[in-house]
């Protein structure tokens, strides 16, 4: 049986910082409201960079740390919900930029749970023998689909990308995924129409995330055969500190590291989990081989989680 594992990670964020005070100049809001309700201090907003540019930059860093070359990569999967350019897809744009000549290459959209879905899909491809070395990316330019006059959304969303190189392995470095959705609640987050903007029923998503998701996060651990207390870290989708902290508490593992990248980066949808994990790896906060629970959730409403071994 072939398994897969994450070999290396990389991330990219635009250089332009948008602070809460900057936003207070644009809409009727203030630093106190944003920090106390969402936990965000600042976020990064792209200027000329496209989703594909950011995805490529993150992938380039992940590939550089993997010991592999572009010629070794046979699959590129990009999770994104915000790419304005529809065709060629983001995955083939990344492949072209990195000199990966003939990979399987596709984009996948499950909004904020996208990276966990994409990682599971690459894991399945490797387990099935369809791939040996994949690059899995979460990349978003949410600033393109944000209504900058709507204070209920413009203080939350941001831009960035994170990537993982995933390779075949004799040991299980990525557990079977727990994935699912609640289509009846789909109206709670919408990006619709010809000039789409993100609109959400914040309270509906908030209640769902804090009441329904904790037991699913525990179930994702059970599927991996790992007790929450055995985890080294928990990297949930970086939506809101007031969602991340109760989710972490309800895991019943008070000593593990909990990613809180939302404070510095805002909500970057499918990019949030790989960016947060990449930063923890870069800072060497998690020992190599230690188990980490990834748990994505958001538009759809969709969710997905798996336990990965830290590269
Ligand atoms: O990642 C995609 C999935 N989405 C999520 O996970 C989002 C989940 N939901 C949330 O994170 C929270 O519901 C929000 C951060 C979106 C909103 O926080 P909330 O505590 O649920 O606030 P609220 O919508 O209940 O609004 C409370 C008050 C309202 O004023 P009134 O009606 O009480 O007078 C809003 O108009 O806060 C007002 N408000 C603001 N005030 C200052 C809303 N946005 C702002 C703002 N600045 N930016």
């Amino acid at each position: 049986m072939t398994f897969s594992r994450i070999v290396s990670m990389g991330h990219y964020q635009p250089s332009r910082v948008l602070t809460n005070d900057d936003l207070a100049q644009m809409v009727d809001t203030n630093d106190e409201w944003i920090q106390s309700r969402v936990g965000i201090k600042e976020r990064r907003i792209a200027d000329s960079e496209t989703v594909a540019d950011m995805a490529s930059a993150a992938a380039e860093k992940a590939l550089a740390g993997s010991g592999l070359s572009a010629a070794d990569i046979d699959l590129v999967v990009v999770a994104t919900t915000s790419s304005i350019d529809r065709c060629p897809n983001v995955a083939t744009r990344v492949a072209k930029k990195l000199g990966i000549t003939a990979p399987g290459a596709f984009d996948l959209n499950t909004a904020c749970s996208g990276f966990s879905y994409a990682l599971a899909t690459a894991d399945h491809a490797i387990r099935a023998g369809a791939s040996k070395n994949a690059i899995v990316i979460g990349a978003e330019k949410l600033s393109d689909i944000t209504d900058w006059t709507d204070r209920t959304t413009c203080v939350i969303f941001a831009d960035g990308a994170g990537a993982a190189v995933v390779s075949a392995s004799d040991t299980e470095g990525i557990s079977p995924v727990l994935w699912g959705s609640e289509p009846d609640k789909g109206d709670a987050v919408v990006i619709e129409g010809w000039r789409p903007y993100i609109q959400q029923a914040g309270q509906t998503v908030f209640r769902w995330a804090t009441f329904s998701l904790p037991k699913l996060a525990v179930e994702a651990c059970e599927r991996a055969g790992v007790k929450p207390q055995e985890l080294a870290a928990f990297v949930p989708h970086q939506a809101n500190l007031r969602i991340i902290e109760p989710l972490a508490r309800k895991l019943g593992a008070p000593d593990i590291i909990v990613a809180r990248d939302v404070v510095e980066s805002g909500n970057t949808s499918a990019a949030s989990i790989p960016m947060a994990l990449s930063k923890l790896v870069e800072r060497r906060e998690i020992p190599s081989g230690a188990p980490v629970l990834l748990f994505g959730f958001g538009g759809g409403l969709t969710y997905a989680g798996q336990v990965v071994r830290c590269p």
Side-chain angles (χ1 to χ4, degrees):
M1 178 73 184
T2 302
F3 299 103
S4 79
R5 68 185 176 95
I6 298 177
V7 177
S8 57
M9 300 284 311
H11 63 275
Y12 174 85
Q13 286 184 282
S15 57
R16 182 152 75 95
V17 176
L18 187 69
T19 66
N20 294 343
D21 289 339
D22 295 333
L23 282 159
Q25 308 287 318
M26 298 158 59
V27 290
D28 181 14
T29 191
N30 56 74
D31 178 56
E32 196 280 327
W33 191 96
I34 300 170
Q35 284 210 48
S36 62
R37 299 279 181 141
V38 206
I40 300 173
K41 285 188 177 156
E42 60 183 40
R43 72 286 289 141
R44 301 296 182 95
I45 300 296
D47 286 313
S48 58
E49 301 103 318
T50 63
V51 171
D53 292 336
M54 293 188 280
S56 301
E60 223 157 18
K61 288 181 190 163
L63 187 59
S66 70
L68 298 171
S69 70
D72 298 314
I73 303 298
D74 54 28
L75 177 65
V76 180
V77 187
V78 179
T80 185
T81 194
S82 57
S83 180
I84 300 294
D85 301 322
R86 311 292 303 168
C87 187
N89 64 16
V90 179
T92 53
R93 290 171 194 255
V94 170
K96 187 174 176 187
K97 175 96 182 168
L98 269 62
I100 304 167
T101 50
F106 62 94
D107 298 354
L108 165 165
N109 175 9
T110 56
C112 305
S113 60
F115 184 77
S116 281
Y117 272 84
L119 191 63
T121 304
D123 173 54
H124 299 165
I126 290 172
R127 287 183 192 242
S131 167
K132 282 201 171 74
N133 299 298
I135 297 187
V136 180
I137 305 165
E140 300 284 11
K141 189 175 180 184
L142 297 173
S143 59
D144 273 348
I145 53 168
T146 296
D147 176 354
W148 290 99
T149 65
D150 175 6
R151 69 175 182 173
T152 68
T153 52
C154 76
V155 302
I156 295 171
F157 297 106
D159 304 332
V165 171
V166 179
S167 291
S169 165
D170 292 337
T171 55
E172 188 179 88
I174 298 176
S175 77
V177 69
L178 177 88
W179 61 18
S181 62
E182 293 195 39
D184 287 349
K185 293 194 175 80
D187 287 349
V189 184
V190 293
I191 309 168
E192 289 178 334
W194 284 111
R195 181 61 186 92
Y197 293 114
I198 307 170
Q199 293 173 292
Q200 65 174 355
Q203 291 265 336
T204 305
V205 184
F206 187 87
R207 276 196 298 275
W208 173 72
T210 49
F211 290 111
S212 304
L213 295 186
K215 64 176 184 306
L216 294 168
V218 172
E219 213 177 308
C221 290
E222 283 166 9
R223 191 157 289 193
V226 173
K227 293 191 179 69
Q229 297 77 17
E230 293 168 345
L231 293 169
F234 176 40
V235 183
H237 167 48
Q238 301 291 297
N240 183 334
L241 214 51
R242 288 197 301 133
I243 293 174
I244 293 168
E245 286 179 341
L247 256 180
R249 251 193 326 274
K250 289 175 186 174
L251 274 180
D255 298 329
I256 66 176
I257 292 167
V258 178
R260 290 180 171 81
D261 189 45
V262 68
V263 176
E264 312 294 337
S265 302
N267 178 340
T268 57
S269 192
S272 85
I273 289 177
M275 274 189 353
L277 180 59
S278 177
K279 290 179 189 182
L280 290 171
V281 170
E282 188 176 71
R283 296 196 298 259
R284 299 180 194 279
E285 288 189 39
I286 312 171
S288 177
V292 178
L293 173 62
L294 311 182
F295 196 82
F297 57 89
L301 298 175
T302 59
Y303 56 85
Q306 62 268 90
V307 174
V308 303
R309 298 285 158 172
C310 187

